[in-house]
């Protein structure tokens, strides 16, 4: 997913909390509000986590690591960095199964 170089990012958190205690609608009740008090630490933590991107990259065009040898693809010449595309040796025993006999 990424090259393992240092990554830094800035993000904005735009979050609101709705809390209507006198309702049966679960979406209008807040797990962060108890006795009219907002658990600000828990709420802010969850809002910040939800604002993070799914992938943290060193830069927008990060090529990541080679899934075969683990080399950083940011530093590798794409034409010089080629691997045999044969089957994964970790799955070799499965080729010995004869599934046609079922």
């Amino acid at each position: 997913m990424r090259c393992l170089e240092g990554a830094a990012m800035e993000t904005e958190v735009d979050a609101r909390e709705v809390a209507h205690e006198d309702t049966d609608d679960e979406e209008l009740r807040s797990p962060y509000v108890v006795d009219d008090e907002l658990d600000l630490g828990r709420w802010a933590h969850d809002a910040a986590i939800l604002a993070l991107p799914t992938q943290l990259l060193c830069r927008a065009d990060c090529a990541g690591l080679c899934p075969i040898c683990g080399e950083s693809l940011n530093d590798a010449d794409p034409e010089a960095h080629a691997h045999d595309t044969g089957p994964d040796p970790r799955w070799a025993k499965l080729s010995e199964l004869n599934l046609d006999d079922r």
Side-chain angles (χ1 to χ4, degrees):
M1 179 185 303
R2 56 176 286 215
C3 66
L4 303 179
E5 291 293 322
M9 56 173 248
E10 290 183 21
T11 188
E12 290 185 21
V13 177
D14 183 18
R16 294 173 190 86
E17 193 61 28
V18 175
H20 291 282
E21 297 300 322
D22 299 329
T23 183
D24 291 333
D25 189 349
E26 194 66 32
E27 296 217 1
L28 294 177
R29 286 198 233 140
S30 172
Y32 306 105
V33 177
V34 177
D35 297 329
D36 290 331
E37 268 191 46
L38 174 66
D39 184 349
L40 187 58
R42 230 178 74 201
W43 176 79
H45 173 268
D46 290 352
I49 294 297
L50 290 172
L52 290 175
T54 56
Q55 293 183 358
L56 301 176
L57 303 174
C58 65
R59 60 180 195 252
D61 64 340
C62 179
L65 298 176
C66 173
I68 296 172
C69 70
E71 182 179 351
S72 173
L73 296 175
N74 292 326
D75 305 326
D77 178 13
E79 293 184 20
H81 189 82
H83 296 284
D84 178 22
T85 58
D88 188 331
R90 295 172 291 183
W91 296 96
K93 278 293 187 187
L94 288 178
S95 66
E96 296 174 12
L97 293 175
N98 188 354
L99 299 178
D100 294 333
D101 291 340
R102 290 182 169 199

